[in-house]
Amino acid sequence: MNKTTYIFGHKNPDTDSVVSATALEALKNAQGFSEYKAARAGKLNPQTEYIYKKFGITPPEFIPNLNPRVAFYMSDSVDVINQMTPFWEASIFMREKKRKVVPVVDDEGHYKAILNYNSFTNKIFGILRPEHHISLVTTVNLMNQTLKGTICCPGEDPDVLHTYTIISGSTKFESFKKTLEDHIKNESIVVVTGDREDIQNLCLEKKIRALILSAGRVPSKEILEKAKKCGTSIIVSKYDTASTSMLVLYSTPVRVLCDQSIKPIKREDSIQQILPHLKEVPSQILPVVDDENKVIGMLSEIDIHHEAKISVALVDHNEMSQAVDGIENYSITDIIDHHRLGSIHTKLPISFINMPLGSTSTIITKMFREQKIKIPSDVAKLLLCGILSDTLILQSATTTQTDIETAGYLSELTGLDIKTLGEEIIKAGSRISGRSSYEVINQDMKEYNEGGLIFTVSQIEVDGTEEVLNRKTEFLNDLEVARKSHGALFASLLVTDISTLSSVMLVAGEEKFLQCLTFPKQEDNIYFLKDVVSRKKQLIPMLTEVLAAYGA
């Protein structure tokens, strides 16, 4: 993959978070930064899903975490070689490409094995044994291909692999005859000789598999006729006998000399998962294959120690506890947010835009306008939805004049009515029936760390709080599960009534902390918060004061 900058909203993303990622991708791409790509770390909530379906827009790619994986470090530049390539050609190929390791594939491109100098050396020593004649697996056509020779007589099965014994026909006739007779009964014989017609005739009488004539010596008509009758292949090599014998050895196809024990890895495999395997292989390089087992890259141990091929831009948050898991492994390039400053640290200077506005969508719309870049129609619709969602149709305490003006601008641009659209998308997100309390709690949950005290706040907007309160036991039980799973002091759910612009808050927490809560208590673990609709601007500052008193 090319260098990619993924744009993420917070985990358990709300509408403003998701549409801001989509819009920032459009802005960056329009500025010439094609590497920016919108993503999301969580499931779309019902409201966001409704909006994207309504306008027929594809939502950002779902990437649940950024734990280091093969795709982020692998090299896309890869050369492969066919399994039937003679090793002589393969060795030239590896030298020219400056490759120490080359994946071996079949005719359809499917991965078969790895060819490296270690595997070749081990296999070749099994062939080169001084106490025996050279024995190798090859075909007549591969021998001819390696020798760059001429086939005068194809013989039988020139493309079929056989295990051949190579015998040199450069000795005295009687000596050669004895050697040939010692091997001819049980072995496929290839004889390399020169213009020795006595040896040529003997070879044809014994019906050897192949006869190679060195130094460009062309066989006589009589020899050719005999070869055709007995099915012996004849190859003419331009090299001398010694060189010809050596090159025949290198005609062995790479499938015979490669290491078939090395299993490939896939793009989605985690680095932690494949690292032991990577360290075990002699070359410390592994092929990467796709779902069809075709080679798409290579990964070496050195690659893992290089900078990853991805970086991250954040929208609608700037706290590590809310960021996609695994973000600590990568560089952050941009942050665009409208919340309080959090705990994220960066290795290098970055573009950081933080404004006290009602939504991140408002900020990104301002960026389009300031850069005098036309907002695409579909992006403008999403941005308007982001503003209306995050400001409760411009009624939240977080709403600013800039939000109101920006929403008006987008409404005029898209032809969408603010009130009608706002009520439509709020209704789409307020449905509780048919959904589990776990799903509702986790659809828009944020984790905070205040002076070492961890807590979570989830929020949902509804048209009336009765249904949640009727299921209070279920919701409180799942809040307790969430509290324990996060190792938190407490977990809460802010249920905002869009008809009254007030909220109730359900809290599961340690008893000592609950005793410190001074909010109007509606019943055990449930509090009424009049005129409170904003998590970031109203509830979080209130909870911060409670935590300060609790800590004291």
Side-chain angles (χ1 to χ4, degrees):
M1 64 185 290
N2 296 322
K3 182 75 173 181
T4 302
T5 299
Y6 286 110
I7 308 167
F8 277 95
H10 48 79
K11 288 185 288 191
N12 308 311
D14 60 6
T15 294
D16 186 37
S17 181
V18 179
V19 302
S20 292
T22 298
L24 184 58
E25 176 188 332
L27 175 60
K28 288 290 189 179
N29 291 175
Q31 292 174 321
F33 302 109
S34 59
E35 70 272 19
Y36 281 78
K37 183 178 180 181
R40 56 189 172 91
K43 180 182 177 183
L44 295 178
N45 67 36
Q47 181 189 78
T48 311
E49 186 175 14
Y50 174 84
I51 291 167
Y52 275 85
K53 283 185 177 179
K54 174 181 174 65
F55 297 118
I57 301 169
T58 302
E61 179 185 0
F62 175 54
I63 303 177
N65 64 69
L66 287 180
N67 295 332
R69 66 194 69 169
V70 170
F72 299 159
Y73 295 89
M74 64 182 251
S75 169
D76 297 316
S77 175
V78 59
D79 297 300
V80 299
I81 197 161
N82 187 277
Q83 62 182 346
M84 291 304 293
T85 303
F87 180 72
W88 182 254
E89 288 185 14
S91 63
I92 294 172
F93 177 84
M94 293 173 74
R95 288 197 302 274
E96 289 177 345
K97 297 291 185 178
K98 297 181 180 178
R99 303 290 191 190
K100 294 181 179 179
V101 175
V102 177
V104 177
V105 299
D106 63 16
D107 292 339
E108 286 74 41
H110 300 123
Y111 172 76
K112 289 297 180 182
I114 281 289
L115 180 65
N116 55 40
Y117 290 115
N118 182 71
S119 64
F120 163 69
T121 302
N122 288 338
K123 297 287 177 67
I124 210 69
F125 276 124
I127 296 172
L128 295 174
R129 293 176 296 172
E131 67 274 16
H132 300 287
H133 283 280
I134 293 174
S135 179
L136 70 150
V137 177
T138 187
T139 71
V140 168
N141 283 341
L142 287 178
M143 287 188 281
N144 183 62
Q145 183 178 335
T146 305
L147 292 168
K148 292 183 170 55
T150 301
I151 295 181
C152 297
C153 181
E156 296 177 356
D157 303 325
D159 280 319
V160 176
L161 285 172
H162 290 286
T163 300
Y164 289 101
T165 297
I166 310 300
I167 300 176
S168 174
S170 59
T171 60
K172 290 182 179 181
F173 180 80
E174 290 302 325
S175 176
F176 171 78
K177 182 178 180 181
K178 183 178 185 309
T179 300
L180 184 61
E181 289 176 346
D182 287 344
H183 293 275
I184 195 66
K185 291 181 180 179
N186 302 313
E187 301 171 37
S188 296
I189 303 298
V190 174
V191 172
V192 181
T193 189
D195 56 359
R196 300 279 302 276
E197 285 211 8
D198 55 345
I199 288 180
Q200 294 173 22
N201 278 304
L202 178 63
C203 290
L204 296 176
E205 289 173 14
K206 299 295 184 182
K207 297 183 179 181
I208 67 168
R209 282 276 185 179
L211 179 63
I212 302 176
L213 306 184
S214 62
R217 294 177 174 89
V218 179
S220 66
K221 289 183 179 180
E222 293 77 8
I223 293 295
L224 281 175
E225 286 301 321
K226 288 182 180 179
K228 290 175 183 178
K229 289 180 180 179
C230 67
T232 297
S233 303
I234 296 182
I235 299 171
V236 174
S237 167
K238 62 183 177 180
Y239 303 105
D240 61 34
T241 301
S243 298
T244 298
S245 298
M246 183 271 293
L247 283 172
V248 168
L249 168 65
Y250 288 99
S251 70
T252 299
V254 294
R255 63 178 284 183
V256 177
L257 300 174
C258 58
D259 188 343
Q260 300 183 33
S261 68
I262 296 178
K263 304 303 179 185
I265 55 178
K266 292 195 171 184
R267 290 169 49 88
E268 59 270 21
D269 290 342
S270 73
I271 295 298
Q272 183 178 12
Q273 175 187 352
I274 62 93
L275 194 56
H277 180 33
L278 182 61
K279 288 179 177 292
E280 285 175 1
V281 298
S283 59
Q284 296 187 326
I285 302 177
L286 290 172
V288 184
V289 298
D290 61 15
D291 290 338
E292 295 181 350
N293 201 38
K294 294 185 176 181
V295 180
I296 56 173
M298 299 289 283
L299 179 74
S300 71
E301 189 172 16
I302 294 174
D303 291 332
I304 295 173
H305 296 294
H306 288 164
E307 185 177 1
K309 292 168 23 178
I310 70 163
S311 52
V312 185
L314 304 180
V315 292
D316 203 35
H317 71 299
N318 70 93
E319 300 198 38
M320 283 294 288
S321 61
Q322 297 172 16
V324 57
D325 291 338
I327 191 175
E328 67 277 3
N329 297 291
Y330 312 98
S331 296
I332 297 172
T333 59
D334 312 75
I335 298 177
I336 301 172
D337 193 20
H338 67 128
H339 295 92
R340 69 177 190 173
L341 295 183
S343 57
I344 284 183
H345 300 279
T346 61
K347 300 173 184 177
L348 300 170
I350 68 167
S351 172
F352 191 118
I353 300 174
N354 188 284
M355 303 179 74
L357 299 176
S359 73
T360 302
S361 295
T362 304
I363 300 173
I364 295 178
T365 304
K366 280 172 56 64
M367 292 170 67
F368 268 104
R369 299 176 74 182
E370 289 166 358
Q371 295 290 324
K372 293 182 171 52
I373 295 174
K374 182 180 178 181
I375 306 176
S377 176
D378 57 347
V379 173
K381 293 172 184 176
L382 292 177
L383 286 167
L384 180 56
C385 290
I387 295 172
L388 299 181
S389 172
D390 235 33
T391 63
L392 292 179
I393 323 178
L394 305 176
Q395 297 180 86
S396 170
T398 61
T399 307
T400 67
Q401 190 59 38
T402 300
D403 296 301
I404 295 171
E405 187 276 330
T406 303
Y409 167 77
L410 292 170
S411 174
E412 184 177 345
L413 191 65
T414 60
L416 296 169
D417 180 72
I418 287 177
K419 187 173 186 297
T420 303
L421 178 64
E423 289 176 349
E424 181 182 346
I425 64 174
I426 293 296
K427 182 179 179 181
S430 64
R431 181 178 61 82
I432 299 295
S433 60
R435 300 173 63 199
S436 69
S437 54
Y438 175 88
E439 181 184 354
V440 172
I441 290 168
N442 284 276
Q443 80 170 26
D444 184 13
M445 174 189 285
K446 291 185 178 180
E447 180 183 300
Y448 299 88
N449 188 323
E450 193 70 41
L453 297 173
I454 297 172
F455 63 99
T456 69
V457 179
S458 303
Q459 184 174 18
I460 186 169
E461 291 91 22
V462 295
D463 187 11
T465 60
E466 295 81 6
E467 186 171 357
V468 173
L469 294 177
N470 288 339
R471 295 166 57 187
K472 62 185 179 183
T473 301
E474 177 189 348
F475 276 93
L476 286 169
N477 286 341
D478 274 332
L479 282 170
E480 178 62 18
V481 171
R483 183 185 78 82
K484 290 179 178 178
S485 67
H486 284 261
L489 178 64
F490 69 93
S492 60
L493 171 64
L494 185 68
V495 184
T496 300
D497 189 337
I498 57 177
S499 62
T500 64
L501 295 180
S502 293
S503 302
V504 294
M505 182 174 70
L506 285 69
V507 184
E510 296 181 8
E511 187 60 34
K512 182 181 176 182
F513 169 75
L514 294 177
Q515 292 173 3
C516 293
L517 283 176
T518 57
F519 306 149
K521 191 172 184 179
Q522 189 163 308
E523 53 184 298
D524 286 347
N525 300 91
I526 301 175
Y527 303 84
F528 177 67
L529 305 179
K530 182 176 174 56
D531 299 328
V532 173
V533 294
S534 171
R535 174 170 46 189
K536 73 178 172 89
K537 192 169 184 178
Q538 294 174 298
L539 181 58
I540 295 303
M542 293 164 62
L543 290 173
T544 299
E545 289 186 13
V546 173
L547 288 168
Y550 172 80

